[in-house]
């Protein structure tokens, strides 16, 4: 049994250090896209979700801290309830279909992305062990090559992935948490396509003339026509930027393989308390209150402040009632919260199990409350 537990710990470590790096690579790509062309691409667009996310990170930490005993190992988990899981929160929102205004989806996505940035910074700053300067310097060298590749317009994504693998190993040896390598690599991947869309369209117009303008079946294409079609297909791939192409490729892998494996390896709660039941402790209540209450109050109150100050306004379709439902969905932590819990209580299995129970219960309660509020406040008719 100890041996099997040891093997389980090894597999869990491999998932957390290896596969979660791919998860954070996908998160980094999404953040970069949002900063370039999305809802965080300008001050006017970013100010409301940014301030809301700040409230959604600060208040859960405060709530957690107020519920635990100061100067105890329990305080190491303060960052656990600060994260919002984009995939799961949007998944709950999708259950309401087209009743949900686009503005609410955009707001939820934007402040969840800012949450991810905060979580990444916390992991980088507070969950790194003793630093090895030599490996750190080597990783800076790899980072220089990645930035040079971006500057020289190298669009082959394998160039970035292979160098990213080297950076991951160097980070792993340097003491910085290896998952941060995924985020850094994501920001070096080019967001501009190899071919401009105008050039691509003109090329299609030129080549389309060699094809017959008939719908008759059984037409045999010439070798020239086949080569032209292959050329167009190849050019189509180059119209999509490496950033968007890689983000699209990783979507299925992350959502259907990595997150389920991570949940399977990390979401388990130990049922070995003295009374033979689930071990509930202070971290359980602190995390749960942080996710359900701290997240809601932080996001809602900071949004109210920024709107009432006149620095930002709510988009069409948003109001204070349905905003409450979105703020509750912000308490769906799950993936990143579980990840931070593992980092916080790695040396204390009992506290880790208690914190996991808080993450799972807080996520379920926040998701259910958010769904109920939105179900009764959104218009019953489908919005066009």
């Amino acid at each position: 049994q100890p041996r099997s537990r040891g093997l389980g710990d090894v597999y869990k470590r491999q998932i957390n250090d290896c596969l979660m790096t791919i998860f954070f690579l996908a998160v980094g790509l999404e953040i970069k896209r949002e900063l370039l062309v999305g809802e965080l691409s300008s001050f006017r667009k970013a100010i409301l979700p940014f301030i809301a996310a700040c409230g959604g990170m600060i208040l859960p930490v405060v709530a957690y801290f107020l519920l635990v005993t100061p100067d105890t190992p329990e305080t190491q988990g303060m960052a656990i309830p600060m994260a919002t899981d984009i995939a799961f929160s949007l998944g709950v929102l999708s259950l309401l279909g087209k009743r949900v205004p686009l503005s609410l989806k955009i707001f939820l996505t934007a402040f969840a992305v800012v949450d991810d940035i905060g979580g990444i910074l916390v992991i980088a700053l507070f969950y790194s062990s003793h630093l090895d300067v030599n490996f750190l310097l080597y990783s800076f060298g790899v980072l220089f090559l990645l930035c040079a590749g971006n500057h020289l317009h190298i669009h082959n994504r394998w160039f970035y992935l292979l160098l990213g693998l080297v950076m991951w190993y160097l980070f792993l040896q340097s003491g910085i948490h290896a998952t941060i390598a995924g985020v850094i690599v994501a920001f070096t991947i080019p967001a501009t396509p190899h071919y401009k869309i105008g050039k691509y369209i003109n090329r299609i117009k030129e080549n389309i003339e060699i094809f017959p303008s008939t719908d008759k079946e059984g037409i045999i294409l010439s070798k020239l026509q086949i080569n032209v079609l292959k050329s167009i297909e190849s050019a189509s791939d180059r119209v999509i930027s490496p950033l968007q192409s890689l983000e699209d490729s990783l979507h299925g892998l992350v959502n259907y393989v990595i997150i389920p494996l991570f949940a399977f390896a990390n979401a388990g709660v130990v049922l070995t308390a003295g009374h033979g039941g689930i071990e509930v402790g202070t971290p359980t209540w602190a995390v749960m209150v942080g996710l359900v209450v701290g997240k809601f109050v932080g996001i809602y109150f900071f949004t109210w402040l920024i709107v009432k100050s006149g620095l930002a306004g709510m988009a069409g379709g948003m109001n204070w009632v349905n905003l409450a439902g979105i703020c509750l969905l912000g308490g769906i932590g799950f993936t990143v919260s579980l990840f931070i819990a593992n980092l916080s209580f790695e040396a204390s299995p009992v506290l880790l199990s208690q914190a996991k129970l808080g993450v799972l219960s807080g996520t379920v309660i926040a998701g259910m409350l958010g769904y109920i509020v939105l179900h009764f406040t959104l218009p019953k008719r489908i919005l066009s």
Side-chain angles (χ1 to χ4, degrees):
Q1 186 176 359
R3 184 180 177 184
S4 63
R5 190 183 298 118
L7 286 174
D9 290 340
V10 170
Y11 293 140
K12 177 179 171 181
R13 186 89 182 190
Q14 290 174 343
I15 290 171
N16 291 352
D17 286 343
C18 302
L19 293 185
M20 286 304 286
T21 303
I22 302 175
F23 169 82
F24 278 101
L25 171 64
V27 169
L29 292 170
E30 185 172 12
I31 291 172
K32 182 175 181 179
R33 174 173 50 78
E34 289 293 327
L35 290 172
L36 291 175
V37 296
E39 294 307 310
L40 303 177
S41 59
S42 67
F43 177 83
R44 186 177 181 83
K45 288 182 177 181
I47 184 63
L48 185 63
F50 177 80
I51 297 298
C54 288
M57 290 185 283
I58 294 171
L59 267 293
V61 173
V62 172
Y64 183 100
F65 183 77
L66 292 176
L67 290 173
V68 300
T69 305
D71 301 321
T72 63
E74 296 170 347
T75 58
Q76 297 175 7
M78 288 192 298
I80 296 173
M82 67 179 288
T84 296
D85 192 300
I86 298 177
F88 282 89
S89 57
L90 288 176
V92 173
L93 198 62
S94 69
L95 296 176
L96 295 160
K98 294 183 179 180
R99 294 173 58 195
V100 183
L102 181 60
S103 57
L104 289 181
K105 295 180 182 179
I106 291 173
F107 179 71
L108 175 59
T109 302
F111 81 69
V113 167
V114 177
D115 256 3
D116 280 340
I117 297 174
I120 290 164
L121 290 175
V122 166
I123 293 169
L125 295 175
F126 300 105
Y127 294 102
S128 296
S129 55
H130 177 70
L131 298 181
D132 188 308
V133 177
N134 290 329
F135 281 106
L136 199 57
L137 290 175
Y138 297 151
S139 65
F140 282 139
V142 176
L143 178 60
F144 174 80
L145 292 177
L146 288 166
C147 292
N150 187 310
H151 181 72
L152 295 172
H153 305 293
I154 296 177
H155 287 78
N156 189 327
R157 61 185 186 178
W158 286 108
F159 170 84
Y160 299 94
L161 292 177
L162 292 176
L163 284 178
L165 183 62
V166 175
M167 174 173 277
W168 170 83
Y169 173 78
L170 294 173
F171 268 38
L172 193 64
Q173 301 300 319
S174 70
I176 297 178
H177 202 276
T179 53
I180 302 300
V183 181
I184 294 175
V185 171
F187 273 79
T188 65
I189 295 176
T192 55
H194 187 72
Y195 287 159
K196 293 183 178 180
I197 188 69
K199 179 180 178 182
Y200 170 72
I201 296 298
N202 290 333
R203 182 173 178 180
I204 290 180
K205 289 179 178 178
E206 293 173 359
N207 292 327
I208 206 73
E209 296 177 358
I210 70 170
F211 292 93
S213 57
T214 177
D215 291 331
K216 292 182 179 180
E217 297 182 3
I219 294 178
I220 303 299
L221 298 178
S222 67
K223 193 167 185 178
L224 175 61
Q225 291 171 333
I226 293 174
N227 288 335
V228 167
L229 288 175
K230 289 181 178 180
S231 175
I232 292 175
E233 181 182 12
S234 176
S236 299
D237 293 334
R238 298 190 175 194
V239 171
I240 304 173
S241 69
L243 183 145
Q244 288 183 295
S245 174
L246 187 57
E247 184 182 4
D248 183 66
S249 299
L250 291 177
H251 180 77
L253 176 64
V254 168
N255 289 341
Y256 302 116
V257 179
I258 293 177
I259 290 180
L261 280 175
F262 172 81
F264 179 78
N266 292 275
V269 178
V270 179
L271 304 176
T272 55
H275 50 78
I278 296 176
E279 184 73 48
V280 178
T282 304
T284 306
W285 301 111
V287 171
M288 186 170 63
V289 170
L291 287 173
V292 179
V293 180
K295 272 288 184 182
F296 171 78
V297 174
I299 298 170
Y300 196 91
F301 179 63
F302 275 56
T303 301
W304 181 86
L305 282 179
I306 197 69
V307 171
K308 292 302 180 181
S309 69
L311 292 176
M314 291 195 293
M318 288 180 65
N319 56 56
W320 294 112
V321 181
N322 59 32
L323 178 66
I326 295 298
C327 294
L328 285 167
L329 293 185
I332 299 177
F334 200 67
T335 309
V336 179
S337 291
L338 284 176
F339 188 72
I340 295 178
N342 277 278
L343 297 177
S344 301
F345 299 128
E346 189 174 13
S348 178
V350 174
L351 293 179
L352 176 58
S353 183
Q354 293 174 359
K356 285 180 180 179
L357 182 59
V359 172
L360 296 176
S361 56
T363 291
V364 171
I365 293 171
M368 290 179 63
L369 289 176
Y371 176 83
I372 291 170
V373 170
L374 290 170
H375 176 72
F376 286 103
T377 58
L378 291 176
K380 299 302 179 184
R381 293 184 178 182
I382 294 177
L383 298 177
S384 57

